[in-house]
Amino acid sequence: MIDFRSDTVTKPTTAMREAIANAEVGDDVYGDDPTVNSLEAMAAEMYGFDGALFTSSGTQANLLALMAHCERGDEYICGQQAHNYKFEGGGAAVLGSIQPQPLTNQADGSILLTDIQAAIKPDDVHFAHTQLLSLENTIGGKVLPQAYLAQAQTLAFDNKLKIHLDGARVANAAVAQNIAIGDITQYFDSVSICLSKGLCAPVGSLLLGDERLIHKARRWRKMLGGGMRQAGILAAAAKLAITDQVDRLAIDHDNARYLAECLSELDEFEIEAQQVQTNMLFAEVKQDVDIKHIATELKSLGILISPGSTLRLVTHADISRADIDSFIAKLKGLLA
Ligand SMILES: *Cc1c(COP(=O)(O)O)cnc(C)c1O
């Protein structure tokens, strides 16, 4: 199957499978798993934080961050399109009694600093206590400018807010700008990073923060059932994700641009190929195109897409240039 639905579908590499087979393990809830410990130490060092925590998923890493920064009755400011507002089941509200304050995302994925400033609530019994600003990078495949991150950090600091990054695809953001991941994470008090997307690990994310935050997050993780025992099996692959898989993302970005160019030549789709910044592209599907039917036909030809009036396509390690050519050829056949 050639699967354009998401980069979450990537399979672990051969090197990862070998590392998994040979991983030294222990009981991580006792702090005894050497491979988890070395992953966490390595990630903290690489990205410039006191500590790191290996979590079962990005959703869990974000939830732990929100619950470690905020208390019951606090709120976090985020984008309307933020994953940790829109796509995580309302976990912060359900499990943390934390209120989201979502704000409009601009076309480039940012939230206007003036909107953020205006949403920060004064210390008044009527209001929830604004505690945290949460940004996402990349967001919808777009990279937030470094200067914007610096300004957002200053705004947060001036208003005594903490600042969190949902960096599920922060490695894509770094590669797209030809900078280190640490150059992005330096602006944040905490960062979550998905290892199971473009970075190809089978399972797992990281939460980064200072010692106090990681300590609190570790406690919440246990309470939420996320204490994993011989998790070194997973951490062994995770280590290779952050060492061996980052540079490779440039290929995914090139492929996404190539795919966008191919689609832009078809009358049935509207897409600005030069808008593609990382591994994700969005094409508007013309109204008279039955994209659902096309998706069903493609499936029988070994190609998976998520149909919608806006078609989101994601490139990743398990999609080659030849796969894209094959997709375009089959798509043309179905449209004809
Ligand atoms: C995928 C994703 C997450 C959640 O990761 P899971 O591992 O699927 O729980 C969080 N934030 C963003 C921006 C994501 O794309």
Side-chain angles (χ1 to χ4, degrees), residues 57-59 62 83 88 136 166 168-169 194 197:
S57 69
T59 299
N62 277 333
H83 200 283
E88 296 182 5
E136 188 173 311
D166 178 348
R169 295 189 180 86
C194 274
K197 292 184 172 167

Side-chain angles (χ1 to χ4, degrees), residues 77-78 111 116 131-135 152 155-156 161-164:
I77 293 173
C78 60
I111 309 166
I116 296 170
Q131 179 66 31
L132 178 72
L133 170 62
S134 178
L135 300 178
L155 185 152
L161 305 185
K162 296 292 181 187
I163 182 167
H164 171 72

Side-chain angles (χ1 to χ4, degrees), residues 96-235:
S97 301
I98 303 159
Q99 161 175 296
Q101 169 60 75
L103 302 174
T104 305
N105 287 104
Q106 302 301 306
D108 69 355
S110 69
I111 309 166
L112 292 179
L113 297 173
T114 47
D115 285 354
I116 296 170
Q117 188 69 56
I120 297 170
K121 301 184 182 42
D123 187 2
D124 177 309
V125 292
H126 292 87
F127 302 129
H129 179 229
T130 311
Q131 179 66 31
L132 178 72
L133 170 62
S134 178
L135 300 178
E136 188 173 311
N137 196 19
T138 64
I139 177 160
K142 297 203 172 100
V143 177
L144 295 179
Q146 288 290 99
Y148 172 77
L149 301 186
Q151 289 163 349
Q153 182 193 37
T154 302
L155 185 152
F157 185 82
D158 290 347
N159 290 279
K160 299 190 169 57
L161 305 185
K162 296 292 181 187
I163 182 167
H164 171 72
L165 179 68
D166 178 348
R169 295 189 180 86
V170 69
N172 296 85
V175 167
Q177 298 173 95
N178 203 16
I179 59 176
I181 291 172
D183 294 337
I184 298 174
T185 59
Q186 64 173 326
Y187 297 112
F188 296 90
D189 296 304
S190 60
V191 177
S192 60
I193 304 180
C194 274
L195 308 173
S196 62
K197 292 184 172 167
L199 300 181
C200 296
V203 175
S205 283
L206 287 165
L207 176 64
L208 300 143
D210 68 15
E211 223 167 281
R212 195 175 143 270
L213 182 110
I214 294 299
H215 180 73
K216 283 174 97 175
R218 195 179 291 279
R219 198 181 168 78
W220 286 126
R221 187 186 68 172
K222 185 74 184 85
M223 196 186 294
L224 293 166
M228 301 182 284
R229 301 294 179 174
Q230 283 72 44
I233 292 281
L234 299 173

